[in-house]
Amino acid sequence: MATSTQALARPRKKKSKLGWNLLGLLVFATAGFPVYWMLNTALKPSKDAIDPSPHFFPRSFTLENFRRALDIGDFWGSIGRSLIVSVVVVVIGIAVGLLAALAISRFAFRGRKIVIIGILAVQMVPLVAMIIPVFLLLNDLGQYDKLSGLVLTYLTFILPFTVWTLRGFIVNVPKELEEAAMVDGCSRTGAFMRVVFPLLAPGMVATSVYGFIQAWNEYLYALMLMSQNHQTATVWLSNFTTQHGTEFAPMMAGSTMMAVPIVALFLLVQRKMAAGLTAGAVKG
């Protein structure tokens, strides 16, 4: 009887596994198609990019669009400014966010719940609603059209995200680990650095990557607060839209080159993230 039941369960498991695999392929195709179409458009001649009957596979390939993209505006300067702003925002966000998340997670103080609610409320405010106040504030501080002003602006929405995300990782680390280290002679700071901090490494890497992506892809503030001479990479893409129309093929080539740092960063840290997650597991 048990054998027959197991025999009936095997086809059900196979069908269930096949269904999940098909669903995974569907999600992958849906998410990956825009990337494929960007590459497809970047590698085809400009006349084919505006063809009213586009082809799924390009009939001919060319690198002319990449040369054209590099000739428009200050590409390398825009990329450099975006890298500087994104890296500085991530470094400051992680340093300050980690301390804030640790205080919220490990210490009880008056107004703690209000701080947590405030962090959530800030993330719900649309960025466009803060354009005018931010512009007036930066203008009064003499930070308009400066990278330092853009860094301060990005921290207003990346820092709350960093604090909230790191708080979730810190809460999942048992307090007993710190207490055991302190019993063995470590100070509170030493217990955090030797026990908790290594377990937070995967969360810090993941948070840094997402924060970098947010700063790298931000467009609205960079457009409103920076002049053309100090534009970032996302604003640089607007150079392909002129009074004569939009150059779609060079724009897609520029978008492809802009995506390279993000892809490189993810490939660089993905193994460390996976290794950290498994190494941080506690066996009871």
Side-chain angles (χ1 to χ4, degrees), residues 12-282:
R12 294 179 180 176
K13 291 182 178 180
K14 291 182 178 179
K15 291 181 179 179
S16 177
K17 186 177 181 179
L18 178 61
W20 284 112
N21 290 336
L22 291 176
L23 179 61
L25 290 175
L26 178 62
V27 173
F28 173 78
T30 303
F33 180 77
V35 179
Y36 165 75
W37 199 251
M38 177 182 69
L39 293 172
N40 183 10
T41 305
L43 293 172
K44 66 173 57 173
S46 297
K47 60 182 180 62
D48 293 341
I50 58 176
D51 191 343
S53 300
H55 298 274
F56 188 79
F57 297 103
R59 291 176 293 182
S60 59
F61 294 92
T62 180
L63 297 178
E64 179 64 22
N65 297 320
F66 291 90
R67 186 197 65 79
R68 170 63 177 159
L70 292 175
D71 290 340
I72 295 181
D74 184 15
F75 172 75
W76 294 112
S78 301
I79 291 293
R81 285 185 287 271
S82 290
L83 281 175
I84 292 173
V85 171
S86 300
V87 171
V88 172
V89 167
V90 168
V91 171
I92 296 177
I94 289 295
V96 178
L98 179 61
L99 297 177
L102 182 64
I104 294 174
S105 305
R106 288 291 192 258
F107 300 100
F109 54 89
R110 183 176 298 178
R112 178 172 173 268
K113 292 184 178 180
I114 297 177
V115 173
I116 296 175
I117 295 174
I119 293 174
L120 289 175
V122 168
Q123 296 185 73
M124 296 179 184
V125 177
L127 296 180
V128 67
M130 298 188 295
I131 279 290
I132 295 178
V134 168
F135 172 81
L136 295 175
L137 181 60
L138 292 182
N139 192 43
D140 291 340
L141 295 175
Q143 294 297 314
Y144 175 74
D145 197 22
K146 293 184 178 180
L147 294 183
S148 55
L150 197 61
V151 169
L152 292 175
T153 304
Y154 284 1
L155 285 173
T156 60
F157 60 88
I158 291 180
L159 188 56
F161 164 81
T162 302
V163 173
W164 184 256
T165 305
L166 291 178
R167 175 185 175 273
F169 286 101
I170 295 175
V171 168
N172 289 328
V173 178
K175 292 183 179 180
E176 290 76 11
L177 295 178
E178 291 181 79
E179 295 172 355
M182 294 174 66
V183 169
D184 290 338
C186 286
S187 62
R188 179 176 291 275
T189 303
F192 174 77
M193 295 301 298
R194 295 182 181 183
V195 178
V196 180
F197 187 79
L199 297 178
L200 294 179
M204 294 177 62
V205 172
T207 305
S208 299
V209 171
Y210 285 114
F212 184 89
I213 292 174
Q214 288 187 60
W216 180 267
N217 291 332
E218 203 284 323
Y219 174 78
L220 184 61
Y221 283 129
L223 176 65
M224 301 299 296
L225 302 178
M226 306 297 288
S227 65
Q228 187 174 3
N229 294 331
H230 297 150
Q231 64 185 2
T232 58
T234 51
V235 181
W236 169 81
L237 286 175
S238 62
N239 290 323
F240 296 100
T241 302
T242 65
Q243 59 182 353
H244 302 292
T246 302
E247 299 183 64
F248 291 102
M251 178 183 287
M252 292 300 102
S255 300
T256 301
M257 291 187 290
M258 275 186 55
V260 171
I262 298 296
V263 175
L265 177 63
F266 179 78
L267 293 177
L268 182 65
V269 302
Q270 65 168 343
R271 292 185 178 180
K272 295 182 179 180
M273 291 174 64
L277 286 171
T278 55
V282 179

